[in-house]
Amino acid sequence: MSRYSAICHIIDQIRLTRDIFHLVLNAPDIARAARPGQFCMLATAHGKGLDPLLRRPLSIHDVGPSGRLEFLYRVVGRGTDLLAQKGPGDIVCVLGPLGQGFRLGTSSSSILVGGGLGTAPLLFLARGLEPRDITIILGGRDAQEIVRLDSFEKVAEKVLVTTEDGSLGIKGLVTSALERLDISPSSHIQHPPAIFACGPWPMMKAVCNWAAIRGLAVQVSLETQMACGTGICLGCATRSSGQDRYLHVCKDGPVFFATDIDWG
Amino acid sequence: MPAFERKDTHAMTRPEVDLAGIKLKNPVLLASGTCGYGQEINDLLDLELLGGLVVKGISLIERPGNPPPRIHETPCGLLNAIGLENVGLERFLSEKLPWLEKIDTAVIVNILGDSVEEYTQIAQRLNGVPGIEGIEVNISCPNVKAGGIAFGADPALAAEVTRRIKMVTSLPVIVKLSPNVTDITVIAKAVEEAGADALSLINTLLGMAIDIKNKRPALANVFGGLSGPAIKPIALRMVWQVARAVEIPVIGIGGISTPSDAIEFFMAGASAIQIGTATLVNPGSAAEVVTGIASFMDKEGIDDIRQIRII
Ligand SMILES: Cc1cc2nc3c(=O)[nH]c(=O)nc-3n(C[C@H](O)[C@H](O)[C@H](O)COP(=O)(O)OP(=O)(O)OC[C@H]3O[C@@H](n4cnc5c(N)ncnc54)[C@H](O)[C@@H]3O)c2cc1C
Ligand SMILES: Cc1cc2nc3c(=O)[nH]c(=O)nc-3n(C[C@H](O)[C@H](O)[C@H](O)COP(=O)(O)O)c2cc1C
Ligand code: FES
């Protein structure tokens, strides 16, 4: 596992909606070392500015030829706002790739479920999966939240969209789409699908419940507050399902098997 | 290794200092809790370029730490309530120290306890263990037997811990002072008198933040320790005061992220410095500070960093 501290040029920064941005950097070392599910810490302050002090964690959305490293993010506060103000030619200091990504395994089919910006790591994941019977479910509050649909459609056999207000795809939550897939319990099928989920905590919890009933294993990508992202501060604790123990999202994760996590 | 190469490394890591008997390649150390046990960070920061590192605080028995959220960012600062999560003394010795021993840099072990006995037991066990150059005593912990008042907030308690640790170890003992006191020089003098070989300061400042959206404290522990650039003026003031109140060397800590920050601390009277939060933000910070100090000394034409102390 190689990690790099790199000063990267922005190749492109595309505003997809009012508050969602697609950032493309030139980061050959990080892009080469990256595995699906890993993340990077991005410095957002201008120049050598001290505010915001901490770097911001973002999942790797995709990597491309000649060192392209891509992120998909929503502006929610000061750090992401400053990042969104940068444009082609500007530089961003990036640490990465960090953490443990998805275990790609050998299942003959996969279901990838993303809610909100939790869809970000799923594109890179879908590219890494082999063999390729892939279903992607993208969930959002409304049509505005469903971004890069065309890219997802290129890497999956089937893409289902759910929106809470029904403005695009199925009206409802991602679990409505899961129910429609009509997956039998794992004991009834020879090759149970691998399930991957990333999004808000209640969404991932619902996906895990849906999977647990069917005896299917789920890998989830978690978010916590992070200071370093490199495993030295121990700030990113999440309760493990084992007694009285904490896992550290930046080094033990961000991807975990759902059964290792205490869902509270 | 050819001789010229050795010389080259030396040029990169000078100036050597002797800190209460601990030989350091240079006066730049990593602060406890911000460099793990070294191995976690060595790929992003070559530890051999530094004077040394102070490992994450070790207790007698492994501690799980506080529930999340444990960290919260404030303007130019970081609030943390990690809760002293650590692997415990025995696992430190068997799992972490062997790797550190192979690294050519000074290893200082930060220790903590909730009773005088816990501190002394740890210090006794560390005595004579190869690969350890010194002990740093975190006295910011609450004394369970004395109703939870921090050792570092009471001169008599702070002196008692220091005296008892000195009795069981021949390693240099650095006492790390808490800034959460009315007059830090009172504690500093009490600890010096009890036999401390050096002082390090400051530990984090007690603070808090409230999440107004969810109407609850931002940290599960309610209070946390503030670190980072935001605390530098306070740390500098305390180092200035303590350096003038005691004879033993003072290690400056608090918000240092650049060479000029470090130089301010040397001018205030520090003999060495530690870098904490800056490593979390930018793993290479400490190496940049080492290089910056060396070029500052070249420019000033001095060979001992202590020469720049303001009298
Ligand atoms: C491993 C990991 C991967 C991530 N990947 C992505 C990604 O691909 N795309 C993306 O848009 N975001 C992602 N996030 C979340 C992203 O890091 C935060 O949104 C960002 O740090 C907010 O910074 P800010 O300065 O803009 O907001 P701040 O000013 O720090 O916070 C503004 C508001 O946003 C909330 N907030 C802050 N951090 C988070 C968080 N981690 N999750 C939810 N709400 C938060 C705060 O509570 C606050 O209300 C990821 C987080 C982690 C830990
Ligand atoms: C995440 C974190 C963990 C820390 N853990 C310890 C610890 O275990 N023992 C200790 O004595 N100090 C600990 N500290 C305090 C630092 O060593 C240092 O004294 C303080 O952060 C001020 O320096 P800085 O502003 O450069 O970070 C910790 C600080 C942080 C930010
Ligand atoms: S964020 Fe620092 S250890 Fe995970």
Side-chain angles (χ1 to χ4, degrees):
Chain A
M1 185 192 69
S2 299
R3 308 185 290 187
Y4 301 90
S5 181
I7 299 170
C8 308
H9 277 95
I10 297 182
I11 299 174
D12 211 349
Q13 162 119 281
I14 308 146
R15 184 177 199 157
L16 300 176
T17 70
R18 190 180 54 80
D19 58 359
I20 300 177
F21 289 77
H22 177 198
L23 174 66
V24 184
L25 301 179
N26 179 37
D29 290 333
I30 298 176
R32 199 180 329 104
R35 297 289 169 266
Q38 289 189 297
F39 68 100
C40 294
M41 295 292 282
L42 284 76
T44 62
H46 286 311
K48 288 194 179 282
L50 296 172
D51 188 32
L53 181 65
L54 304 174
R55 296 184 188 223
R56 298 300 192 248
L58 292 179
S59 303
I60 298 172
H61 176 51
D62 206 359
V63 303
S66 59
R68 282 167 70 98
L69 179 68
E70 307 188 21
F71 300 94
L72 192 63
Y73 67 95
R74 186 204 303 274
V75 173
V76 297
R78 193 166 148 68
T80 45
D81 188 38
L82 284 168
L83 190 60
Q85 288 170 28
K86 297 185 203 269
D90 288 344
I91 57 167
V92 186
C93 294
V94 184
L95 264 176
L98 304 171
Q100 313 296 325
F102 295 103
R103 282 52 148 197
L104 299 180
T106 53
S107 300
S108 56
S109 66
S110 308
I111 302 171
L112 285 53
V113 190
L117 265 291
T119 57
L122 302 186
L123 189 66
F124 189 23
L125 169 61
R127 281 194 207 287
L129 286 169
E130 201 92 48
R132 311 196 43 87
D133 177 7
I134 298 171
T135 303
I136 299 183
I137 299 173
L138 306 174
R141 278 191 302 265
D142 52 32
Q144 279 280 300
E145 240 188 24
I146 307 300
V147 292
R148 306 213 74 215
L149 190 54
D150 52 335
S151 305
F152 284 107
E153 280 170 340
K154 280 186 202 134
V155 295
E157 272 56 59
K158 191 196 253 178
V159 178
L160 297 172
V161 171
T162 68
T163 51
E164 287 172 43
D165 68 354
S167 52
L168 191 68
I170 304 163
K171 184 173 180 354
L173 304 171
V174 292
T175 38
S176 316
L178 282 172
E179 298 295 349
R180 287 201 188 184
L181 294 179
D182 202 20
I183 305 287
S184 318
S186 63
S187 49
H188 295 193
I189 37 179
Q190 214 173 5
H191 302 291
I195 317 289
F196 304 89
C198 182
W201 188 266
M203 180 220 96
M204 288 193 286
K205 206 169 153 174
V207 173
C208 293
N209 287 338
W210 172 89
I213 295 167
R214 290 163 179 81
L216 301 170
V218 186
Q219 293 180 47
V220 291
S221 178
L222 299 189
E223 285 188 10
T224 52
Q225 301 294 339
M226 286 186 180
C228 68
T230 54
I232 52 178
C233 77
L234 308 180
C236 57
T238 192
R239 234 174 288 253
S240 109
S241 52
Q243 291 296 299
D244 213 23
R245 256 200 76 212
Y246 293 104
L247 295 164
H248 299 96
V249 173
C250 81
K251 62 171 175 178
D252 304 322
V255 177
F256 296 92
F257 279 102
T259 44
D260 292 336
I261 302 300
D262 177 353
W263 291 91
Chain B
M1 192 193 285
F4 68 90
E5 249 186 72
R6 215 177 303 141
K7 208 167 146 229
D8 227 5
T9 340
H10 174 73
M12 279 170 70
T13 62
R14 87 218 140 90
E16 274 172 38
V17 292
D18 182 309
L19 186 88
I22 307 173
K23 293 253 177 306
L24 303 175
K25 282 184 201 173
N26 58 58
V28 178
L29 304 152
L30 298 179
S32 179
T34 61
C35 56
Y37 304 102
Q39 195 169 5
E40 299 93 319
I41 186 76
N42 195 51
D43 62 327
L44 293 168
L45 168 66
D46 183 355
L47 298 175
E48 298 196 340
L49 294 176
L50 310 179
L53 79 163
V54 187
V55 299
K56 177 74 190 162
I58 301 290
S59 49
L60 200 53
I61 311 285
E62 176 164 357
R63 293 194 186 193
N66 284 330
R70 292 180 173 186
I71 46 183
H72 180 83
E73 191 183 21
T74 60
C76 301
L78 169 66
L79 273 172
N80 90 79
I82 307 300
L84 300 168
E85 171 176 350
N86 77 92
V87 298
L89 177 61
E90 291 310 322
R91 277 184 60 201
F92 168 70
L93 292 173
S94 62
E95 295 172 19
K96 308 296 177 184
L97 191 60
W99 183 86
L100 277 170
E101 257 194 271
K102 291 182 292 195
I103 302 292
D104 179 21
T105 197
V107 174
I108 294 168
V109 181
N110 181 286
I111 68 171
L112 64 106
D114 47 29
S115 64
V116 177
E117 290 70 35
E118 183 169 359
Y119 283 105
T120 27
Q121 277 182 53
I122 304 171
Q124 193 155 26
R125 179 75 175 82
L126 295 177
N127 190 34
V129 173
I132 300 175
E133 273 80 19
I135 294 178
E136 182 181 69
V137 188
N138 176 2
I139 56 170
S140 296
C141 315
N143 180 345
V144 171
K145 285 184 193 156
I149 178 182
F151 291 93
D154 178 45
L157 264 177
E160 166 79 356
V161 176
T162 309
R163 193 175 309 112
R164 295 275 297 277
I165 290 172
K166 279 297 287 179
M167 281 164 62
V168 298
T169 183
S170 52
L171 284 169
V173 173
I174 304 161
V175 178
K176 183 167 179 179
L177 304 183
S178 164
N180 305 307
V181 295
T182 314
D183 184 352
I184 197 165
T185 62
V186 174
I187 313 283
K189 282 188 266 192
V191 165
E192 176 183 42
E193 183 139 327
D197 299 292
L199 300 175
S200 56
L201 62 141
I202 58 176
N203 211 317
T204 53
L205 284 150
L206 202 58
M208 75 176 290
I210 291 177
D211 172 352
I212 58 170
K213 207 166 76 190
N214 296 306
K215 302 187 178 69
R216 61 173 183 231
L219 299 171
N221 189 53
V222 184
F223 299 152
L226 184 64
S227 66
I231 71 168
K232 200 191 85 185
I234 301 168
L236 194 63
R237 183 263 294 177
M238 290 184 164
V239 166
W240 176 285
Q241 288 178 308
V242 169
R244 280 152 186 77
V246 299
E247 301 291 321
I248 51 179
V250 170
I251 306 173
I253 323 170
I256 300 173
S257 37
T258 64
S260 55
D261 292 336
I263 287 159
E264 282 192 68
F265 278 83
F266 292 119
M267 289 187 171
S271 300
I273 56 113
Q274 292 180 16
I275 302 209
T277 304
T279 307
L280 308 181
V281 176
N282 172 16
S285 302
E288 288 166 23
V289 170
V290 170
T291 320
I293 292 171
S295 47
F296 175 83
M297 291 177 66
D298 284 347
K299 232 185 298 160
E300 294 289 314
I302 52 170
D303 53 15
D304 183 349
I305 193 69
R306 280 168 284 205
Q307 283 172 259
I308 65 172
R309 176 177 172 154
I310 298 170
I311 307 295

